[in-house]
C-alpha cells in the first residue's frame, strides 16, 4: 500500500505534515532516521505509518507508561492490533500478550526501557519478526537531555543486533542532544529531519493582572465547555485554587506530588476522559499526557524557565485547533523562583538557572511578538514574522483613529448639549433619536461602524482626555481643539479588526454549537462502551467539522479529515444517525 493510502485508511488524513513524509521515506529505505518535530507535530504517525507499511512487528520503546496505553488505545480504535508491556501489568496479562506476540497477533508493541534488562524478554525478541524499531521521546537517551534515563541508553546496544532500521523522534532539539542520538543510533546527517517548533494554533497571552484568582475563575466560567489546564507552582496554591473552584461550583480535578498515586491516576483519567475538563496542577502533571483537545493552558505563576513554559503551554491545542496559552505572574513569583534557585547546591547549575529565569522574566516584559520571542529563544536563527495574535501583536496593531475622532467630536459639538455615549453612538450611526438630531450634518456619519467599535473609540478619547464623562454625559474637553484644528494623530490599541478576530477565536464558521455538543455526547457514549478515551474515537477537530458540514452519508463523511475507512465502518453510523436525528428536530 502507498504511504498516503495508509494515512487515509487508518487515520483519515489526506496529506502528510511537514517533515513526516521525508522521515518515513528514510526508514522505508532501511536507513535509520531522527525526527525533531514540535509537540502535536504528529510524531506518532512518523513511526506508525512505516511500521504498517513494512509489515511484521514494530517495537516502540517509550519511557512513559501513561503514553503507552493512550497510543495502544488509539491504534486499536483505528483497527490496528497493538499491545504494551510495562511494570504495572499483572503477570497473567503479560503472559497473554507474550503468547499473542509469538503468534504474530500485533503490529505494534510498546515497551518501557527497563524491560530489556530481563533475559526472558530479550529471548522473546529473538523469536519475533521485528522490522522497525522506534524510539519515542528519544531525548531521554541522551546525557544532555533534560530528562536522561540511563536504562534507556542501555537499550540501544541491545536492540542494535535485531537488524531493523531505527527511527527516533523527539520535540527537544538542542544541538548536543541531537549529536548524541545520531552517534548512538548511527544516524547520518542527511537522515535528520527537523521542522520548526513553531505552533501556529497557539495564541500566547500575558496578563499582568493583580486579580489572578478572579481572572482565572472568570476565564474558566466563560469557557465551561472547554478543557483546560491551570498550572500553579506549589501544592498549596493548587489546593487553594481548588477550594475556590469548589465554592463556586466549578467542576475540576487536581494533581500534585502530594497526592497518593491512586488519587493522581484517578484524577488524571477523569481529566483525559473529559469527565472533569479542568485540571489544576503543579508541573508534576502533564508529562506523557496525550490529550489532544486541551483548549487553554493558564499559568497562574511564573515558571522557572522558558523550556518549562513552552513545554507546559504546548499541551494546549495538540489537535491543531486554535488554543490559548495565558501567563499570569507577579513580582512574588519571581522571588519564589529565586528562592528555589538559591536552594540548588551546585553553583554552576545555580548560575545557569538564574540566567534562564532572567530570560523568563524578560518574556513577560518584552513588547515583541511573544511567539517570536519563544521561538527565538530556542532557535536564534529562525526568522519569524509577528504572529498577529499574541497580546503584544494585538497591542501593536495600532489603529489610527484620527478621522473617527474628528467625526465623533464634531458630532458631539453639533448636538450642543452633553449626551450619553449611547445617544452619541445612535446619532452618529444614523439611528433615530429625535427630529432635531436627525437634521444634523453629522447624523449617520459613521453608519458603517458597529456600536461596539464606536464605544471603543469613545473609550480611547476619554482615556486621552479629549472627552470627559460627567454623570454619564460626554463633554468635549478644550484640548480637543488640537485634534479638530490640526493634524494631531490619535492612535488606539483598540483595533476593530483584531478585536473581531479575538472574539471569534474559538469558533469555526457555521459550526452548529448545539450539534457539536450533541456529537460530543455520542462520542462519550461510544468511548464508555469501547472503554477508550473519547479523543481516540474522533478528535474535537473532526467533530467540529461534522457539526459544520453535517454529513449524513458515509460518502460525505469519508471526505472529512480524521475519518479513515476503519472508523467509517465502526463509528460513523452512530454519528450519521445522530446528525440526522438532530436535523429532524431543528
Ligand atoms: P506528537 O508529535 O506530539 O506526538 P501526535 O503524534 O500525538 O503528536 O499528533 C498530534 C495530532 O496531530 C494527532 O491528533 C494526530 O492524529 C494529528 N496528525 C498527525 N499527523 C497528521 C496529518 N498528516 N494530518 C492531520 N493530522 C495529523
Ligand atoms: Zn505575536
Amino acid at each position: 500500500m502507498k504511504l498516503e493510502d495508509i494515512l487515509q485508511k487508518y487515520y483519515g488524513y489526506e496529506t502528510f505534515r511537514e517533515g513526516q513524509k521525508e522521515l518515513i521515506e528514510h526508514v522505508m529505505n532501511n536507513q535509520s532516521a531522527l525526527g525533531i518535530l514540535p509537540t502535536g507535530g504528529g510524531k506518532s504517525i512518523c513511526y506508525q505509518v512505516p511500521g504498517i507499511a513494512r509489515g511484521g512487528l514494530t517495537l516502540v520503546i517509550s519511557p512513559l507508561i501513561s503514553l503507552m496505553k493512550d497510543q495502544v488505545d488509539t491504534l486499536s480504535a483505528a483497527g490496528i492490533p497493538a499491545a504494551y508491556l510495562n511494570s504495572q501489568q499483572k503477570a497473567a496479562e503479560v503472559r497473554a500478550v507474550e503468547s499473542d506476540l509469538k503468534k504474530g497477533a500485533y503490529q505494534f508493541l510498546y515497551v518501557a526501557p527497563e524491560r530489556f534488562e530481563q533475559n526472558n524478554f530479550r529471548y522473546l525478541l529473538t523469536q519475533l519478526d521485528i522490522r522497525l524499531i522506534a524510539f519515542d521521546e528519544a531525548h531521554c537517551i541522551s546525557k544532555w537531555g533534560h530528562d536522561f534515563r540511563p536504562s534507556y541508553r542501555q537499550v540501544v546496544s541491545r536492540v542494535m543486533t535485531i537488524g531493523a532500521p531505527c527511527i527516533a523522534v523527539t520535540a527537544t532539539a538542542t544541538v548536543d542532544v541531537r549529536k548524541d542520538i545520531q552517534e548512538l543510533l548511527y544516524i547520518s546527517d542527511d537522515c535528520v529531519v527537523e521542522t520548526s517548533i513553531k505552533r501556529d494554533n497557539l495564541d500566547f497571552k500575558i496578563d499582568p493582572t493583580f486579580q489572578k484568582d478572579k481572572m482565572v475563575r472568570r476565564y474558566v466560567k466563560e469557557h465551561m465547555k472547554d478543557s483546560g489546564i491551570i498550572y500553579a507552582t506549589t501544592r498549596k496554591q493548587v489546593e487553594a485554587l481548588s477550594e475556590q473552584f469548589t465554592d463556586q461550583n466549578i467542576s475540576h480535578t487536581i494533581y500534585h506530588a502530594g497526592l497518593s498515586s491512586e488519587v493522581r491516576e484517578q484524577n488524571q483519567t477523569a481529566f483525559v476522559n473529559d469527565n472533569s475538563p479542568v485540571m489544576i496542577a503543579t508541573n508534576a502533571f502533564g508529562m506523557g499526557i496525550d490529550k489532544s483537545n486541551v483548549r487553554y493552558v493558564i499559568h497562574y505563576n511564573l515558571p522557572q524557565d522558558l523550556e518549562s513554559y513552552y513545554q507546559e503551554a504546548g499541551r494546549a491545542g495538540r489537535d491543531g485547533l486554535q488554543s490559548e496559552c495565558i501567563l499570569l505572574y507577579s513580582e512574588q513569583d519571581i522571588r519564589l523562583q529565586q528562592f528555589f534557585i538559591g536552594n540548588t547546591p551546585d553553583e554552576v547549575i545555580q548560575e545557569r538557572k538564574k540566567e534562564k529565569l532572567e530570560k523568563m522574566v524578560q518574556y513577560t516584559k518584552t513588547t515583541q511578538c511573544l511567539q517570536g520571542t519563544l521561538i527565538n529563544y530556542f532557535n536564534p536563527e529562525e526568522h519569524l514574522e509577528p504572529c498577529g495574535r499574541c497580546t503584544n501583536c494585538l497591542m501593536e496593531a495600532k489603529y489610527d483613529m484620527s478621522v473617527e475622532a474628528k467625526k465623533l467630536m464634531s458630532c458631539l459639538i453639533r448636538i450642543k448639549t452633553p449626551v450619553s455615549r449611547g445617544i452619541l453612538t445612535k446619532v452618529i450611526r444614523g439611528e433615530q433619536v429625535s427630529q432635531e438630531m436627525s437634521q444634523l450634518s453629522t447624523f449617520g456619519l459613521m453608519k458603517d461602524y458597529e456600536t461596539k467599535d464606536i464605544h471603543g473609540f469613545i473609550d480611547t478619547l476619554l482615556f486621552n482626555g479629549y472627552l470627559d464623562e460627567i454623570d454619564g454625559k460626554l463633554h468635549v474637553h478644550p484640548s480637543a481643539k488640537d485634534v479638530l484644528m490640526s493634524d494631531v494623530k490619535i492612535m488606539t490599541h483598540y483595533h476593530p479588526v483584531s478585536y473581531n478576530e479575538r472574539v471569534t477565536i474559538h469558533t469555526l464558521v457555521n459550526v452548529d454549537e448545539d450539534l457539536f455538543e450533541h456529537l460530543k455526547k455520542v462520542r462519550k457514549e461510544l468511548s464508555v462502551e469501547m472503554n477508550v478515551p473519547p479523543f481516540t474515537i474522533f478528535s474535537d477537530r473532526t467533530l467540529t467539522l461534522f457539526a459544520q458540514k453535517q454529513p449524513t452519508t458515509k460518502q460525505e463523511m469519508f471526505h472529512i479529515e480524521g475519518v479513515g475507512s476503519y472508523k467509517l465502518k465502526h463509528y460513523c453510523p452512530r454519528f450519521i444517525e445522530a446528525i440526522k436525528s438532530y436535523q429532524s428536530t431543528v
Side-chain angles (χ1 to χ4, degrees), residues 34 61 63 113 134-145 147-156 167-170 177 180-182 184-185 187:
L34 165 63
I61 301 138
F135 290 91
D136 205 355
E137 310 286 343
H139 59 275
C140 298
I141 298 179
S142 170
K143 282 188 204 146
W144 315 116
D147 201 14
F148 174 49
R149 313 272 171 105
S151 66
Y152 204 164
R153 199 175 177 90
Q154 282 160 14
V155 171
V156 174
I167 175 166
V169 291
T170 174
V177 174
D180 204 15
I181 298 174
Q182 274 186 264
L184 271 174
L185 298 178
I187 297 171

Side-chain angles (χ1 to χ4, degrees), residues 383-397:
H383 175 74
L384 285 164
E385 299 293 327
C387 75
R389 300 178 322 268
C390 69
T391 21
N392 288 350
C393 282
L394 289 175
M395 294 275 255
E396 279 293 301

Side-chain angles (χ1 to χ4, degrees), residues 353-368:
K353 286 191 168 179
K354 272 188 198 160
E355 281 165 27
K356 288 187 171 193
L357 177 60
E358 192 48 44
K359 296 269 194 226
M360 184 72 236
V361 175
Q362 277 171 18
Y363 175 79
T364 66
K365 302 207 165 126
T366 182
T367 53
Q368 305 295 312

